[in-house]
Amino acid sequence: MLIITFVHIIKIIYPQLFMNRLSISCVLLCLVMLPVSSQNRTISGYITNAKNGETLLNSSVYEKNSKVGNVSNSYGFYSLTIPKGAINLVYSYVGFTSKSSSFVLTKDTVINIQLTENTELDEVVVLGSRKELGVQGSQMSAIEVPISQIKSVPSLFGETDVIKALQLLPGVKAGTEGSAGMYVRGGGPDENLLLLDGVPVYNVNHMFGFFSVFNADAIKNVTLYKGSFPARFGGRLSSVVDIRMNDGDDKNYHGNVTVGLISSKINIEGPIIKEKTTFNFSARRTYADILAQPIITAAAKKNGGVGRANAGYYFYDLNAKISHKFSDKDRLYLSAYMGDDVIYANLQQSYSDYGNSSEAGRIKMDWDWGNLITAVRWNHLINNKLFMNTTAAYTRYRFYMAVGTENKTVIENPPSTSTEKLTVGYRSGIEDYSAKVDFDWSPMPNHDVKFGANYTFHTFRPGVTIAQLKTTGESMNQQMDTTIGDQNVSAHETTAYIEDNISLGSVIKLNAGVHFSSFLVQNQLYGSVLPQPRIGLRVLMSDKMSFKVGYATMSQYIHLLSNSNISLPTDLWVPVTKRIAPMNSNQYSAGLFYNLANLIDFSVEGYYKTMDNLIEYKDGASFFGSSTGWEDKVSMGRGWAYGIEFLAQKTVGNTTGWVGYTWSHSDRLFDRPGQEINEGAVFPAKYDRRHDLSVVVSHKFSDRFDMAATWVYSTGNCGTLALQNFGGTDLPQSTSSFSGPTVYNGNGSVIAVSNPITTTLPYVSSRNNFRYNPYHRLDIGMNFHKQLKHGRRTWNISVYNAYNQLNPFLTMVTNKYTNNMNGGWGTERKALTQLSIFPIIPSVSYSYKF
């Protein structure tokens, strides 16, 4: 009955899907082959950490006699339907001691299991694992990185960074030096869906992209999907990063405090009502502005014309989550995130006496941008086979900048006072209200069905400039208030999905699903008549080796307008329009997976991806923070990417880490009439890099000392440079009869020029015609621990770019003048100049865990 109701919902939202038999077959694909047997019984419950009550996502439950297993969902719930009789259950999770339970199953049973953490290798073998990202599962092109590994990766200024850790994985490329941007399998930075507890995050960067907004202390689990996407995900072309926050310890209060060179952070969690209601709170803030303020104040005092100066930059993050357990069937979660970057300045002039008059002035700047996310989730167990999660969420990204001046003039004779206030501001952003419902249904041992629907109301706030002027005085009073820019744009996005993990015997496993989407904006409805199919197939060659293939098609209805190498707050999210169609992609992938002694996972994957309706700025066009007329500045085209990825990952034991290598190729073609770029010829994508290699190793020497190191190498990025000049218009002849290059004397003065003078103009042969020097870097981090009476303290010493490699951030064409050492003539020539921004950077931090 529930499935029939869901199909009716799909029919109402997408009536066009039921206009042909093929579409109906796609919708019902995941509902076939669901036999019902009176001889089966269902065991269900939650799998949690015995120490703190945190749910264990993707933990395994396996019945040895029937050789049937399942994994827990995103909320730790599992359901296993097996034949009644004598059973032997094994519950396991990587890094935890397995637990067994044997009894005679005669009826449906609820078993809540608590597993104990254990780092001994012989205690963490995951028996009969059906973990969907491993050898046994049907999911490919996905990687789960333990948060402990992410915290151990050395990073810039010692700041643990989730996105920087993901950049070290195969198939994921970083942008420029230090940037938090992600370029996955030939895609762009706006083609990644980043979810925090299931809610999209639009701006994931702090400090212009050098840090990400995710505080590792508040995070429980991170999973990256690069292809073969499950049907429950959609809206982006290239990747999904699913980040789950900690719920909070349900037994004890504890936390940790960390003080570093540029920031400090705190995390506190514990029970509000023991084993029933929990909270988790994390905060982080940089304090360069506080440390620099005395210097700014001292400098202001030396300048007699300034009475007071206050300026600085900082960013902060706040994470909070409350969970409440009503019963084994109902749980409620409330989570929130808020983070901002703030640049401010307030300069005040002291009064200056000019005899009969005095003046005072002030210059003020406020510049801030950031995210606000809130979500309410309700978990309800409808029955022991059907789990429901409903979510209502709000997410907002906004940017605001204002610069103002204020001047006041006082005249003593005759007495009068006049003031002038001028403010110029700019604001933009995006705001979403969403509601969704997701179901997990385990009708039989060989079927795990997921289905659901989502509605999002978008409000795009394009760039708007505000100018305000107000003057007051004895002879003149005037006021001006002007707003220039586009009006808000509203859009309605609806999605629905259904997927089934089907085991066809012991060798073949199939994940088949369909994703539906529509987008209504400016009376224009976008959406596919046919659903977006998702297929993943696993063929088990042995208990330790499998072969997988996958296919996924994706659609994206929003674009990020940006023309900078780094993330700027003026970048704008804009929706598709009547002239700009949605982006689409098709990705094919295949891979071989092998597990060595339950210690190391090996994988080799190949992929081929096509992308359509991509947008790029036309030759010579640029974007300066206003969405007005942006459609005329871009062209639509297509692209394709292909590559091979290798990963060896070890997640348990004293030595953990991974080795990742990627060989890839990514091209673009814009040849539509009137929208040609690069004269309609193929050109490489900006971050097309042939080779990427990363080695991440962490080793625990003892309870008091551990060490980690990261080494990365990659082919240089592409750039567009004018490497040649061509002749222009001849200028009037010089009085000199000299013919040749420009010549200077020893002090740089021109003594002779060619005759006649011919102007030269830069010539760009093609887009992305230049490749930067290769990039490589070594980072090292060491932790010194000591157990104290009421907690544990840790000193971290990290070195970023340990051998001081000057990697390219930017390469440009410059003019270089060469002096004649004998005081004679000198010459000028064109040269390539490389700009590097991060030399060797040591850092230290102190943390206390209580």
Side-chain angles (χ1 to χ4, degrees):
M1 182 65 183
L2 181 66
I3 298 299
I4 296 174
T5 302
F6 178 74
V7 172
H8 279 295
I9 293 173
I10 298 299
K11 187 174 181 180
I12 294 172
I13 300 176
Y14 302 99
Q16 67 269 32
L17 296 177
F18 292 81
M19 295 177 63
N20 58 69
R21 293 182 179 179
L22 177 61
S23 297
I24 297 175
S25 300
C26 290
V27 174
L28 299 178
L29 175 63
C30 301
L31 306 179
V32 299
M33 301 174 61
L34 298 178
V36 178
S37 173
S38 61
Q39 302 301 313
N40 291 332
R41 297 294 182 264
T42 299
I43 302 172
S44 61
Y46 288 86
I47 304 176
T48 59
N49 186 334
K51 181 180 179 181
N52 54 29
E54 285 282 354
T55 55
L56 298 178
L57 287 62
N58 297 319
S59 50
S60 174
V61 53
Y62 182 72
E63 204 285 302
K64 288 185 175 181
N65 298 332
S66 60
K67 296 183 179 180
V68 172
N70 207 342
V71 294
S72 60
N73 66 10
S74 298
Y75 296 91
F77 175 79
Y78 75 94
S79 178
L80 185 66
T81 300
I82 53 178
K84 64 181 182 180
I87 65 170
N88 186 358
L89 290 174
V90 179
Y91 297 87
S92 54
Y93 187 73
V94 174
F96 286 72
T97 302
S98 299
K99 183 175 287 189
S100 300
S101 178
S102 299
F103 58 96
V104 176
L105 180 65
T106 60
K107 61 180 182 179
D108 291 348
T109 305
V110 175
I111 302 178
N112 295 322
I113 290 293
Q114 294 184 334
L115 300 182
T116 304
E117 292 183 56
N118 197 323
T119 57
E120 298 298 325
L121 294 182
D122 57 350
E123 296 291 338
V124 297
V125 176
V126 183
L127 298 176
S129 171
R130 283 186 59 205
K131 192 167 184 178
E132 292 310 306
L133 310 188
V135 170
Q136 300 280 336
S138 58
Q139 180 65 52
M140 66 178 300
S141 301
I143 306 171
E144 183 175 311
V145 184
I147 195 65
S148 58
Q149 278 193 342
I150 291 176
K151 289 183 176 181
S152 70
V153 173
S155 56
L156 183 64
F157 296 113
E159 285 292 311
T160 301
D161 196 305
V162 173
I163 301 299
K164 296 290 180 61
L166 295 180
Q167 289 175 347
L168 300 172
L169 297 172
V172 183
K173 300 180 186 295
T176 55
E177 166 81 4
S179 169
M182 289 175 53
Y183 299 80
V184 181
R185 290 187 171 179
D190 61 336
E191 297 173 17
N192 307 305
L193 178 62
L194 290 108
L195 300 172
L196 184 63
D197 270 357
V199 183
V201 182
Y202 285 102
N203 179 58
V204 299
N205 301 309
H206 281 311
M207 200 178 283
F208 307 103
F210 295 122
F211 300 100
S212 72
V213 301
F214 302 110
N215 185 349
D217 289 341
I219 293 173
K220 172 165 57 178
N221 182 268
V222 179
T223 306
L224 168 69
Y225 297 88
K226 302 177 293 182
S228 189
F229 302 101
R232 59 188 178 273
F233 297 123
R236 300 293 189 276
L237 298 190
S238 294
S239 78
V240 176
V241 180
D242 189 11
I243 300 175
R244 299 285 170 168
M245 293 172 55
N246 286 320
D247 297 330
D249 195 318
D250 68 352
K251 297 177 175 62
N252 302 292
Y253 297 98
H254 63 85
N256 64 278
V257 178
T258 302
V259 179
L261 290 181
I262 68 168
S263 73
S264 292
K265 53 188 176 182
I266 184 172
N267 174 251
I268 302 175
E269 60 179 312
I272 299 175
I273 302 175
K274 208 162 189 178
E275 297 187 355
K276 197 174 185 69
T277 307
T278 65
F279 76 93
N280 188 296
F281 175 79
S282 296
R284 175 176 63 164
R285 190 193 191 279
T286 59
Y287 37 69
D289 59 318
I290 300 174
L291 298 178
Q293 187 55 49
I295 301 175
I296 296 173
T297 301
K301 288 182 179 180
K302 290 183 179 181
N303 184 351
V306 177
R308 188 168 57 182
N310 186 27
Y313 165 80
Y314 67 90
F315 68 77
Y316 71 90
D317 298 296
L318 298 174
N319 294 82
K321 189 171 185 178
I322 296 176
S323 62
H324 178 71
K325 178 182 176 182
F326 292 97
S327 65
D328 284 339
K329 287 191 173 184
D330 293 281
R331 303 186 182 207
L332 187 68
Y333 302 87
L334 174 63
S335 59
Y337 166 80
M338 182 170 64
D340 280 305
D341 288 66
V342 179
I343 298 175
Y344 62 92
N346 189 352
L347 308 178
Q348 296 186 17
Q349 289 182 328
S350 60
Y351 282 88
S352 300
D353 189 2
Y354 297 104
N356 191 41
S357 65
S358 60
E359 294 183 1
R362 183 174 71 165
I363 300 175
K364 186 177 181 180
M365 181 182 73
D366 293 306
W367 187 7
D368 55 277
W369 63 97
N371 300 288
L372 174 63
I373 297 171
T374 59
V376 178
R377 277 170 289 276
W378 172 44
N379 291 172
H380 177 62
L381 188 60
I382 298 175
N383 56 50
N384 54 14
K385 296 182 181 180
L386 186 60
F387 177 92
M388 178 185 72
N389 175 66
T390 58
T391 303
Y394 169 80
T395 179
R396 180 219 68 193
Y397 168 70
R398 61 103 177 90
F399 165 78
Y400 176 75
M401 180 176 67
V403 178
T405 63
E406 181 178 344
N407 294 289
K408 182 178 181 180
T409 302
V410 178
I411 300 177
E412 295 182 1
N413 188 18
S416 65
T417 301
S418 62
T419 62
E420 181 182 86
K421 293 182 180 180
L422 173 64
T423 302
V424 178
Y426 174 84
R427 65 170 182 260
S428 65
I430 181 173
E431 188 176 52
D432 291 350
Y433 292 90
S434 63
K436 67 175 181 176
V437 59
D438 302 284
F439 295 92
D440 290 83
W441 183 37
S442 300
M444 292 295 293
N446 59 337
H447 286 272
D448 298 317
V449 182
K450 298 179 186 293
F451 57 96
N454 178 81
Y455 167 76
T456 302
F457 177 71
H458 299 281
T459 301
F460 297 88
R461 306 184 188 279
V464 173
T465 301
I466 303 169
Q468 295 177 330
L469 174 64
K470 182 178 181 181
T471 61
T472 61
E474 296 293 331
S475 59
M476 180 175 62
N477 286 278
Q478 65 178 15
Q479 186 170 339
M480 179 188 73
D481 192 337
T482 302
T483 300
I484 303 173
D486 290 345
Q487 295 182 345
N488 294 345
V489 178
S490 298
H492 305 267
E493 183 174 7
T494 55
T495 64
Y497 70 90
I498 183 168
E499 63 179 87
D500 190 0
N501 237 356
I502 311 169
S503 295
L504 304 174
S506 60
V507 175
I508 298 176
K509 188 174 183 180
L510 175 69
N511 185 301
V514 288
H515 182 93
F516 316 107
S517 65
S518 69
F519 197 85
L520 177 63
V521 58
Q522 296 178 336
N523 297 321
Q524 178 76 30
L525 178 64
Y526 289 100
S528 301
V529 174
L530 292 177
Q532 303 168 30
R534 316 285 175 80
I535 299 174
L537 176 67
R538 181 222 67 191
V539 179
L540 199 62
M541 305 169 69
S542 71
D543 287 341
K544 301 296 183 182
M545 180 179 291
S546 65
F547 175 76
K548 301 181 185 182
V549 294
Y551 168 77
T553 178
M554 305 285 279
S555 294
Q556 181 170 332
Y557 300 100
I558 60 177
H559 303 279
L560 182 65
L561 291 183
S562 173
N563 63 349
S564 174
N565 293 333
I566 62 176
S567 174
L568 293 176
T570 53
D571 298 348
L572 282 185
W573 287 98
V574 293
V576 295
T577 67
K578 295 180 179 179
R579 295 170 54 186
I580 305 297
M583 296 188 290
N584 301 296
S585 71
N586 292 275
Q587 185 175 159
Y588 310 83
S589 53
L592 191 65
F593 298 78
Y594 177 71
N595 177 267
L596 177 64
N598 289 313
L599 294 178
I600 306 176
D601 288 306
F602 294 91
S603 65
V604 178
E605 293 187 39
Y607 68 90
Y608 179 79
K609 181 168 71 171
T610 62
M611 297 162 281
D612 197 21
N613 296 330
L614 300 179
I615 65 171
E616 290 259 0
Y617 282 100
K618 295 179 179 179
D619 294 328
S622 60
F623 163 71
F624 293 102
S626 174
S627 66
T628 304
W630 69 272
E631 297 163 295
D632 297 320
K633 298 179 181 180
V634 300
S635 294
M636 296 180 63
R638 52 195 173 99
W640 53 90
Y642 50 90
I644 299 175
E645 301 167 0
F646 167 81
L647 176 67
Q649 185 183 25
K650 186 174 184 290
T651 58
V652 295
N654 289 330
T655 302
T656 61
W658 66 85
V659 177
Y661 170 75
T662 305
W663 179 93
S664 61
H665 201 109
S666 181
D667 288 322
R668 300 289 186 265
L669 177 62
F670 288 74
D671 59 352
R672 300 180 184 181
Q675 300 191 58
E676 293 88 352
I677 293 179
N678 198 46
E679 297 182 349
V682 176
F683 62 92
K686 181 173 180 57
Y687 294 101
D688 168 55
R689 296 201 293 255
R690 207 64 65 237
H691 306 282
D692 278 274
L693 174 66
S694 62
V695 181
V696 180
V697 179
S698 176
H699 182 73
K700 179 182 177 182
F701 291 89
S702 68
D703 289 337
R704 301 192 63 177
F705 177 71
D706 59 76
M707 183 176 180
T710 299
W711 185 76
V712 295
Y713 172 88
S714 65
T715 306
N717 293 327
C718 292
T720 303
L721 294 179
L723 301 177
Q724 295 174 301
N725 292 332
F726 65 91
T729 305
D730 288 346
L731 296 179
Q733 293 187 1
S734 169
T735 55
S736 169
S737 61
F738 178 82
S739 178
T742 304
V743 181
Y744 302 82
N745 64 12
N747 61 18
S749 301
V750 178
I751 9 179
V753 295
S754 58
N755 187 15
I757 300 174
T758 301
T759 60
T760 59
L761 299 174
Y763 173 70
V764 178
S765 59
S766 61
R767 178 166 288 205
N768 295 336
N769 61 334
F770 178 79
R771 191 168 292 277
Y772 294 178
N773 290 328
Y775 181 99
H776 54 95
R777 189 190 76 242
L778 173 68
D779 305 330
I780 300 174
M782 295 173 286
N783 293 307
F784 301 87
H785 310 282
K786 185 176 181 179
Q787 188 66 40
L788 304 177
K789 183 177 181 180
H790 298 291
R792 190 187 194 202
R793 71 105 173 103
T794 299
W795 281 101
N796 172 269
I797 300 175
S798 299
V799 181
Y800 181 88
N801 194 7
Y803 53 78
N804 197 32
Q805 171 65 22
L806 298 180
N807 288 301
F809 176 77
L810 184 66
T811 299
M812 50 193 168
V813 179
T814 59
N815 295 321
K816 283 202 171 182
Y817 169 73
T818 303
N819 282 311
N820 189 315
M821 299 302 296
N822 298 322
W825 294 341
T827 59
E828 182 188 54
R829 62 184 178 85
K830 300 287 185 181
L832 293 177
T833 300
Q834 174 180 295
L835 174 64
S836 301
I837 59 173
F838 290 127
I840 180 172
I841 301 177
S843 63
V844 61
S845 66
Y846 173 86
S847 62
Y848 180 72
K849 188 174 183 180
F850 55 91

